[in-house]
Amino acid sequence: MKSKLEKYWHFAFIAAAFAVSLYLRIVRPWKAVFRWTTLLGGNDPWYYYRLIINCIHNFPHRIWFDAFTHYPYGTYTHFGPFLVYTSAIASILAGARTPDQVRTVIAFIPAIGGTLLAIPAYLLAKEVFDKKTGALAAFLVVIVPGQLLARSLLGFNDHHVWETFWMTLSLALYARSLNVWKGGETMENLKSKKVIAPIIAGLAFGGYLDTWAPGFILAPIITLFVFLLYVGYKWFEKNNAAIAGAVMFATAGLIYLPFAFKYPGFSTVYYSPFQLMVVLGFALVLVAFYAIDLLFKKRGLQEQYVPLAIAVTFLAIAGLAFAINPSFVHDLLSIVGVIHPKGGALTVAEIQPFFSMGGQFSLIPAWLNFGVTFFFSIPGYLCLLYWIYREKKETYLLMLVWATIMFIALCGQNRFAYYFGAVTAILSASFLVFLLKAYVRYYSEGLNTRLYAVTALWVLALIIIRINANLFPYALAIALPAAIDGMLNLNREVELNLVEVISGLNSKKQSLAAITLVALVASSLFLITPTLGESYIQSQYAGGINYQWYHALTWMRNNTPYKSFYDKFFYELYKPGYVKHPKPYPYPHPTYGIMSWWDYGHWIEAIAHRMPIANPFQQGIGNKYNNVPGAAPFFTAFNESYANSIAKKLNVKFVISDVEMATGKFYAMAVWAEGSLVKAGMTYFSGIGYLYQYNGRVGLALNPEQVPLGAKIFSTIQLPSENYFRTMEARFHIMDGCGLKHYRMIYESKPVSKNSMMGLEELIYRSLFDNYYASKLGMPKVNITTTGFVKIFEFVKGAKIVGNASSKYVTIECTVKTNQGRSFIYVQKCKVKNGHYEFIVPYAQETKWPVKPSPYIIKSGNVEKKITLSDKDVEQGKTIVVNFT
């Protein structure tokens, strides 16, 4: 019984990890996902859904070129085959037939991935450290909060959690190969059953590549590790690592091979021959490492020159590759670009620098993304350095290289927090086990005073964070001496024998054993409790698209032109288009584009079955500084004619705006348009406003001195300038399209809540417009109220109304009533030139759309005339003559 317990006890930890993970990832977010329909999280999961449902329709084939997005060009898709086929097969086996049923099935896949991550975390920690560390790492990795949790919650069916799974598993199995091959001759290992170990590692690496094409980065990471082994030739066994890595890479190349030619040419992100050449190329590099070392040994040359010979050979090969194909080397080096994103890319939340809040260094992101595991992993990293120095163990160095590179990536882009979550889980587990061994040593050696002291510190720290998690820094400061004491008074050979401590409860050492158990529990809870608490809070925030957007896009699918064509074309497999878009894709039927911000492109495609100009692949965004047509220059255009030129070039038929584009997200459009955060701020904003609460009311101060005494500032807001109100986005959403000649509102969703921050911002923007800018811009004031969260406009030629008039000015206006029952005034004013006036107007009174205008009233002096138009009039640009003389 005892031997079985010693052999299988870790399964209890893994089972506990599974149970906690499924609770966090499925039970907690359940109500947020299964609502009026099955909601997928974020943006990319909706594009995966689009690929999956198309794959089910065409099984076993899938889309590799998508003509339905980045209109009018289409795009090659970089989403890998693993998740598409896993999801499609799961849906088919579950009998899912309808779109909602498919979404219901695939909603569970990320939660399964996040739960299964406990296995590779256990395996890697076990192979690098020991079984106890592995068991603890398995539990910690599933409770790490932040991006790792968010990207594995119910509904977030994206490849990110599977990236972490396959990379961690690949490293775990490679570490297993090193341990299995250790002490044996390389060629003997290749000829024995031991060769299976790196082959299995290669299968995992292949799974990583088939999940995420840039996963080839694992090959240079492992190659760097092997090179460092050769540098430390006096300490480490290196040749087994080289050949095991080569076998691993070659196997991965075979797994990747069926998908290696889906993209024409080389690419780091698309499924192209580039990845195959990288993994096979680095396999040859590792073989070269081995061959050089072998040559030195046979010739009796000094071994210390092997690293230099390897480095020179590697540089020579790299130079030759550059001479033959410079673009290949450039693509390989471009992966380094993730460390320093620039320009508009800095507005994308997931690729901003990690340790930054408000432009200042901060550790708050570390707490939100990793809980206490981050702070335990720091001493764990330092211990790892010491253990490498003392024990010369190859797998320690592997862990160190991986942790270091992932930390560098994390600093560059916060998206890599989901990778680093696994790093923190393993390193913090290793450090906690290290501490627990220290306390058992105190117990076994009768170090009572030290044991009492550190126990008191841990218990006090634990009480503090249980009272208020915001006091964590103070609790950490209290607990730190206990941790340092454990580090300074232990070597790794000490065994963590809990049985000895527990049995002490029945001996003369009862009190000391009890105190020891308290120390063990308190130090463990200090790591686990706040981390699990943070995950518990975050796990309820799932789901993505809101009610207004979903129903607006459902309406668009059912009510805009060519519904039957789009519903059929949505499920087709497309012939590949052009890589660099010298001309539009040859669509088999008249088509049109939907202009909106890139955040919403996948929703437009997957739900509305329409073709977005811009999408979350950051395609179709465009800019002003190079005059590239796209969403950014369109929405930030200062005049309608410039916006129209973009709309015509991209064949835009409908424009979708939402309240976030008009307020909080506008800065992102401005940065992409101008290419600089500073220029965008100076061009479209006038400063910072301060929102405060005073006597139960909310107010806005234009500077801190205007805040009433005793008021509480709860937020800041960027104040729009006059230039902002000249933009198309402001005219669409703040002014409801008033005065635009070629755009008419055809649909409005339910309004944004007045109690939300977005609702408050809309009220502020409308109030600022009325008070400061309406008269300057010659526009009528707007109602200070929240309006539709989503608004859809149609781009039309506009009916031309012309005639003679003797007055100085002529005005035309109508009252527009939206499908939500809200009314606003549409008005234009033109100067009479040589007795002649001319208007171009977009609204039709006889219309199929649910937004209905009253008859136009045209005024010249004291004379008024009414006129009604049809959809045909405004769509075909008909000319109507209305004379006043």
Side-chain angles (χ1 to χ4, degrees), residues 527-567:
L527 170 61
I528 294 172
T529 302
T531 305
L532 182 57
E534 188 65 35
S535 291
Y536 182 83
I537 294 170
Q538 293 181 19
S539 61
Q540 64 183 316
Y541 299 110
I545 190 169
N546 61 32
Y547 180 90
Q548 293 96 325
W549 261 104
Y550 184 82
H551 283 278
L553 294 178
T554 301
W555 179 89
M556 172 174 270
R557 177 182 175 182
N558 294 324
N559 293 279
T560 52
Y562 310 143
K563 170 179 166 38
S564 59
F565 162 74
Y566 280 118
D567 283 346

Side-chain angles (χ1 to χ4, degrees), residues 637-648 728 731 742-743:
F638 293 132
N639 58 72
E640 187 177 356
S641 61
Y642 179 51
N644 292 345
S645 67
I646 295 172
K648 290 176 182 177
M728 291 296 288
R731 299 188 72 176
H742 299 279
Y743 301 89

Side-chain angles (χ1 to χ4, degrees), residues 273-294:
F274 177 84
Q275 288 77 4
L276 183 64
M277 292 178 67
V278 168
V279 294
L280 295 182
F282 275 100
L284 292 176
V285 167
L286 292 182
V287 172
F289 285 5
Y290 174 78
I292 291 171
D293 184 64
L294 203 61

Side-chain angles (χ1 to χ4, degrees), residues 132 432-448 450-451 454-455 458 485-486 489-491 493-504 509 512-513 515-521 523-524:
K132 295 180 178 67
L432 181 58
V433 170
F434 187 48
L435 287 179
L436 298 183
K437 288 181 178 181
Y439 304 143
V440 172
R441 174 175 176 262
Y442 296 162
Y443 166 78
S444 62
E445 296 184 8
L447 301 176
N448 303 25
R450 179 170 283 149
L451 184 57
V454 297
T455 304
W458 281 117
D485 186 77
N489 290 278
L490 182 70
N491 55 54
E493 283 73 20
V494 175
E495 179 58 39
L496 178 54
N497 193 343
L498 297 179
V499 176
E500 179 186 352
V501 178
I502 295 172
S503 62
K509 301 171 70 175
L512 191 58
I515 291 296
T516 304
L517 286 175
V518 171
L520 296 174
V521 172
S523 54
S524 301

